[in-house]
Amino acid sequence: MKKLLFVIFLLTLVSTNQLLAQNNSMDNKIKEIIKQLTLKEKLDMCHAQSKFSSKGVARLGIPEIWMSDGPHGVRAEIAWDSWQHAGWTNDSCTAFPALTCLAATFNPKLSYKYGKAIGEEARYRKKDILLGPGVNIYRTPLNGRNFEYMGEDPYLASKMVVPYIHGVQENGVAACVKHYVLNNQEHWRDHINVELSDRALYEIYLPAFKAAVQEGKVWSIMGAYNQVRGQYCCHNELLVNKILKGDWGFDGVLVTDWGATHDTKEAALFGLDIEMGTGTDGLTSSLKNAYDNYFMANPLLKMIQSGEIDESVVDEKVERILRLMFRTNMNSSRPNGIMNSQEHFDVAREIAQEGIVLLKNEANFFPIDPEKVQTIAIIGENATKMMTVGGGSSELKTIHEISPLEGIHKRFKNANILHAMGYASGPSVYGRVIDSKLNADSLKNEALEIASKADIVLFVGGLNKNHHQDCEGDDRKHFSLPFGQDDLISRILKVNKNTAVILISGNAVEMPWVDQVKGIVQTWYLGSETGHAIADVLSGDVNPSGKLPFSFPVKLEDNAAHAFDELSYPGDGTNQEYKEDILVGYRWHDTKKIKPLYAFGFGLSYTSFQIQNVKSNKISYKKEDTIIISCEIKNTGKIKGNEVIQVYVNDVKASVLRPLKELKAFKKVKLNPKETKSITLKIPTKELAFFDDSIMDWKLESGQYKLMIGMSSQDIKKIISVKVK
Ligand code: BGC
């Protein structure tokens, strides 16, 4: 045994040494290259040469860097110098489910599959940086961009972002985690200055980025548009120089968001590496080459020539850029990539199936038996609306998008399916929504007519990817459903009580009809396989196991960000203060005893589960220990299913305010009918610490902690008390 351990030790040493040697030789090569570059060549590498690329150095064989959005598929090619599509015919992709859906799977293994598949597509399309994933914390249900993020909990977002990065980067494509940081609303995103406490910053908004850097080893990060504490995020001394590159040791490239650079000197000194999308339009301006006027182009050149800034500042940026290139487009052994394979569509479907959340299921309304001959009325614009287009930079040109109506038609062949739009949202053209030309009354009447004839009604509605909906560039204006849907649902209920709602959205919505409908399914935006995955769940071919990655409040004011004045949301136009502090999402609902409509971590199944024999390995822990919780989970129903066991902790007597519950571990378990599995969940004791702003470090207080084990933040089955010394 000892011998074996020694051999393992030697092997680890050899591989560590090999890695060090490789790194040393890469560092040496980088230094050699930098010596050969002119200042102009170096600066050219630090800013865009087109909408989505930056220059290489042709005379030395150093390639250009090509980037693409992200994060749900590889975006269609964009023109060299405008936002128009380039019009290629070979750039249709697999559209994967939105990141809210991925987060709702609570399944890090699926996150890896997602990353690997999208990375393969990016690689095939010759992209070096994939602009995603996004991990801005869900602070308000009005944020137009929540659908691109991973929910309201820093632990969940951290656990889900890391495997995505690994999957992407195995392809020799850099993931670019965005938007660093505090871009938690789209309204005024280009200038709003966020003020918040150090605790909120470190406990809520930074952890997923830190995990991306330290565990995900991500090769690039995108800076956010907004300001934090008076400085723009893309050149923010505290966020970039101190935290990202200093404390966390990030060795990759900080890319701006498009047009998020504002100052040459700050950009040079406070950590920006590549400037993209600055508001010059090259072709139509009278300037010869607009890209030379970027903050990090001629203006920086002049500052270096005048001695105001040292050239070594640029060398450090180029060093990072070349390191990224050795990992991507100068790595000759990276794989070739794959596009639109059946495997990719299968991954998209699997994630969609596992992310769909069943919120309500009165009298087992679902699953609907596909063999039964009956009339089903499908009402709602979202039953047929393409959701991969629109939404801003995450728009996709996909090879196919199965609509909910199509998916249901295919699976429910014996049913008589009637369909009516019911309402119309109107098209969105370049950020403006054009009123629909369709007559609202006749749409409604048509819907009521089919509803009255049907055995069951499936209302397929929610939000869409238009401006002021789930869309980049601004926030939703209302918490309620748009386009008269609430009124329509209540009218439908008058003619047919057998009605359920299929909600397609990336955000929580108000549900005034919640008590009257028989069922509610939250399906997010599911990409290419939307209709298939929805039909899989409605028919019972797949037992739903998604869990909400954010809380659904009853009304908007129940959400923490909206419980204060306008300075909290949306700000006064210049500044914004996160007044709820660390009490974001369920931390707010639980601590303030404001019951959510649907809680973080909640989601029903067609079977039932029981947790038993919950134990911790000890009752008292030291700082360096790991708490190990073991339990048995049993499927007590008649069909197979998955359940997510969640552990929340509470510091019973703390010297500062601490949330009543904080997620610290979870595990998804697959179980056959009547099967029982034993599982363990681990929490390093140090993760019970809070961020102490008086010492600007994490502090673990001794005393009693409660470990709450359950199936959602509101469904705690067992509480264990432990001590920390
Ligand atoms: C978005 C980024 C995106 C970039 C490039 C910006 O408007 O905020 O997320 O990657 O555009 O399309």
Side-chain angles (χ1 to χ4, degrees):
M1 186 64 185
K2 264 190 188 161
K3 244 188 197 165
L4 184 71
L5 284 177
F6 186 65
V7 172
I8 294 174
F9 170 74
L10 277 184
L11 285 175
T12 329
L13 209 64
V14 170
S15 59
T16 319
N17 282 343
Q18 265 173 356
L19 208 69
L20 284 176
Q22 268 171 16
N23 281 346
N24 279 343
S25 99
M26 180 165 86
D27 287 348
N28 288 339
K29 277 187 202 154
I30 289 173
K31 286 201 179 91
E32 279 312 307
I33 296 173
I34 292 177
K35 276 189 206 153
Q36 296 182 44
L37 298 175
T38 66
L39 177 57
K40 175 79 169 78
E41 284 168 338
K42 288 188 244 180
L43 286 170
D44 278 350
M45 292 172 76
C46 296
H47 63 83
Q49 63 160 356
S50 75
K51 272 274 173 262
F52 281 95
S53 70
S54 58
K55 263 203 181 127
V57 186
R59 72 176 177 93
L60 296 177
I62 297 171
E64 300 168 336
I65 292 181
W66 279 87
M67 313 177 189
S68 172
D69 286 304
H72 305 142
V74 185
R75 192 178 184 181
E77 294 300 322
I78 301 292
W80 184 268
D81 213 9
S82 81
W83 285 108
Q84 303 295 322
H85 285 160
W88 290 20
T89 51
N90 58 353
D91 56 352
S92 299
C93 67
T94 308
F96 297 91
L99 293 189
T100 36
C101 173
L102 177 63
T105 67
F106 274 66
N107 187 345
K109 286 190 187 122
L110 287 183
S111 183
Y112 171 75
K113 284 193 184 180
Y114 192 131
K116 181 168 179 285
I118 195 173
E120 283 172 354
E121 301 224 342
R123 175 67 191 103
Y124 186 85
R125 289 266 305 279
K126 301 195 171 19
K127 304 302 176 194
D128 308 309
I129 303 182
L130 178 78
L131 304 171
V135 285
N136 293 93
I137 290 292
Y138 185 113
R139 176 176 181 252
T140 152
L142 298 191
N143 178 14
R145 236 178 152 177
N146 279 333
F147 70 100
E148 285 188 65
Y149 302 138
M150 300 199 192
E152 71 187 19
D153 182 73
Y155 180 81
L156 175 65
S158 302
K159 288 295 152 200
M160 297 305 286
V161 72
V162 168
Y164 181 118
I165 297 166
H166 290 162
V168 170
Q169 294 191 165
E170 271 173 25
N171 292 288
V173 173
C176 185
V177 174
K178 59 196 193 182
H179 308 88
Y180 185 70
V181 60
L182 297 158
N183 180 188
N184 305 106
Q185 68 188 45
E186 288 297 283
H187 195 60
W188 292 329
R189 68 170 178 179
D190 56 336
H191 64 271
I192 196 82
N193 173 47
V194 179
E195 297 287 345
L196 81 173
S197 72
D198 285 312
R199 277 195 72 193
L201 178 66
Y202 280 88
E203 290 184 27
I204 306 293
Y205 297 99
L206 289 182
F209 289 97
K210 184 178 182 190
V213 170
Q214 297 195 328
E215 295 165 51
K217 307 266 180 249
V218 73
W219 296 334
S220 64
I221 297 265
M222 184 188 290
Y225 278 120
N226 48 287
Q227 306 184 57
V228 173
R229 297 185 181 167
Q231 212 165 38
Y232 279 101
C233 287
C234 290
H235 31 82
N236 188 299
E237 199 175 5
L238 168 73
L239 295 174
V240 183
N241 278 4
K242 170 155 186 344
I243 299 176
L244 177 67
K245 293 185 171 177
D247 299 346
W248 299 348
F250 174 62
D251 70 356
V253 169
L254 182 79
V255 183
T256 53
D257 201 337
W258 269 232
T261 316
H262 297 267
D263 184 85
T264 297
K265 196 164 181 180
E266 283 196 1
L269 297 180
F270 300 153
L272 180 62
D273 299 309
I274 302 185
E275 175 187 0
M276 299 297 295
T278 299
T280 45
D281 63 352
L283 293 181
T284 53
S285 101
S286 58
L287 301 165
K288 233 170 137 197
N289 184 350
Y291 295 97
D292 282 341
N293 294 305
Y294 269 39
F295 292 97
M296 298 240 282
N298 286 345
L300 183 52
L301 180 72
K302 279 191 197 130
M303 282 189 179
I304 294 169
Q305 282 165 343
S306 72
E308 198 177 342
I309 287 177
D310 198 82
E311 189 168 341
S312 62
V313 167
V314 180
D315 289 351
E316 204 259 345
K317 299 180 195 305
V318 174
E319 185 184 318
R320 287 172 178 274
I321 295 167
L322 285 168
R323 190 177 300 124
L324 180 137
M325 293 172 96
F326 272 108
R327 290 163 165 169
T328 59
N329 57 11
M330 298 206 307
N331 167 8
S332 53
S333 57
R334 65 175 175 162
N336 288 329
I338 303 163
M339 191 83 187
N340 296 321
S341 64
Q342 187 53 46
E343 200 187 334
H344 289 183
F345 289 105
D346 292 347
V347 167
R349 185 163 174 170
E350 192 186 354
I351 294 163
Q353 291 168 338
E354 274 205 30
I356 291 175
V357 185
L358 179 63
L359 291 177
K360 180 172 180 183
N361 198 15
E362 199 178 298
N364 293 333
F365 183 91
F366 296 116
I368 303 164
D369 184 355
E371 304 313 322
K372 204 166 141 193
V373 181
Q374 57 181 336
T375 303
I376 306 177
I378 314 258
I379 298 173
E381 190 187 54
N382 285 356
T384 51
K385 193 169 175 68
M386 270 193 92
M387 294 294 185
T388 50
V389 293
S393 60
S394 64
E395 60 156 25
L396 293 171
K397 177 167 138 192
T398 175
I399 217 157
H400 69 244
E401 178 175 344
I402 309 292
S403 73
L405 182 66
E406 198 180 341
I408 294 170
H409 251 298
K410 273 187 167 170
R411 184 62 185 93
F412 291 82
K413 291 206 177 69
N414 289 338
N416 173 28
I417 299 198
L418 309 174
H419 167 239
M421 246 174 105
Y423 67 89
S425 63
S428 174
V429 183
Y430 300 119
R432 264 184 337 115
V433 181
I434 316 285
D435 281 346
S436 166
K437 295 224 165 47
L438 298 168
N439 181 293
D441 282 339
S442 49
L443 288 176
K444 198 186 296 166
N445 292 339
E446 191 193 359
L448 294 176
E449 198 184 318
I450 66 160
S452 65
K453 285 188 200 149
D455 296 305
I456 57 176
V457 178
L458 298 178
F459 181 84
V460 189
L463 306 175
N464 62 33
K465 298 284 193 68
N466 283 3
H467 195 54
H468 289 307
Q469 301 288 314
D470 283 326
C471 182
E472 182 180 339
D474 213 334
D475 288 348
R476 295 165 64 197
K477 286 187 162 164
H478 312 282
F479 184 46
S480 54
L481 284 179
F483 324 121
Q485 292 178 76
D486 288 337
D487 174 61
L488 180 59
I489 295 171
S490 68
R491 283 167 194 263
I492 292 172
L493 281 164
K494 286 198 184 115
V495 299
N496 195 330
K497 298 241 167 306
N498 246 349
T499 296
V501 173
I502 317 293
L503 261 186
I504 299 188
S505 76
N507 258 316
V509 299
E510 198 169 46
M511 301 187 193
W513 30 261
V514 67
D515 293 331
Q516 283 97 57
V517 298
K518 291 269 158 64
I520 304 172
V521 188
Q522 175 65 37
T523 75
W524 321 113
Y525 299 105
L526 299 177
S528 292
E529 296 294 316
T530 297
H532 286 149
I534 290 176
D536 290 337
V537 168
L538 299 190
S539 64
D541 293 348
V542 167
N543 190 350
S545 63
K547 302 283 173 179
L548 290 181
F550 48 82
S551 317
F552 276 53
V554 175
K555 50 187 193 305
L556 190 60
E557 305 75 62
D558 290 355
N559 164 279
H562 296 272
F564 302 90
D565 59 8
E566 277 192 7
L567 196 56
S568 173
Y569 178 89
D572 64 7
T574 309
N575 295 303
Q576 179 175 30
E577 207 183 302
Y578 284 15
K579 296 195 176 180
E580 74 284 10
D581 199 33
I582 54 165
L583 298 182
V584 174
Y586 68 90
R587 286 165 166 78
W588 174 263
H589 284 284
D590 286 337
T591 313
K592 298 285 178 185
K593 311 220 175 329
I594 300 169
K595 217 173 166 330
L597 182 60
Y598 290 111
F600 173 85
F602 173 77
L604 297 169
S605 165
Y606 297 149
T607 184
S608 47
F609 301 94
Q610 209 175 45
I611 304 182
Q612 54 209 25
N613 286 330
V614 187
K615 294 193 282 271
S616 62
N617 60 333
K618 296 204 247 174
I619 45 164
S620 178
Y621 295 88
K622 290 199 222 79
K623 199 174 161 190
E624 54 285 355
D625 288 345
T626 291
I627 302 171
I628 303 176
I629 299 156
S630 60
C631 67
E632 282 165 13
I633 160 96
K634 183 173 183 191
N635 179 349
T636 49
K638 293 197 182 73
I639 54 167
K640 67 175 181 194
N642 308 335
E643 183 55 296
V644 179
I645 312 304
Q646 304 162 37
V647 185
Y648 296 85
V649 301
N650 173 245
D651 182 353
V652 177
K653 215 161 136 201
S655 63
V656 293
L657 171 81
R658 300 208 59 182
L660 202 68
K661 292 188 199 109
E662 290 179 87
L663 183 71
K664 291 292 171 188
F666 64 84
K667 196 168 251 176
K668 193 160 197 173
V669 194
K670 292 186 197 275
L671 292 163
N672 286 319
K674 307 290 172 226
E675 189 186 5
T676 303
K677 272 187 187 160
S678 300
I679 61 158
T680 54
L681 296 125
K682 293 182 184 161
I683 307 173
T685 310
K686 63 176 182 353
E687 292 198 1
L688 305 183
F690 69 95
F691 190 82
D692 184 349
D693 49 13
S694 68
I695 53 168
M696 286 304 281
D697 205 351
W698 294 89
K699 184 171 180 184
L700 180 65
E701 289 188 322
S702 337
Q704 206 196 344
Y705 287 80
K706 273 196 227 163
L707 310 173
M708 291 162 270
I709 298 98
M711 278 111 146
S712 91
S713 59
Q714 294 267 311
D715 183 16
I716 301 301
K717 301 291 185 196
K718 170 95 186 175
I719 301 178
I720 301 178
S721 271
V722 296
K723 270 199 182 133
V724 171
K725 283 188 184 157

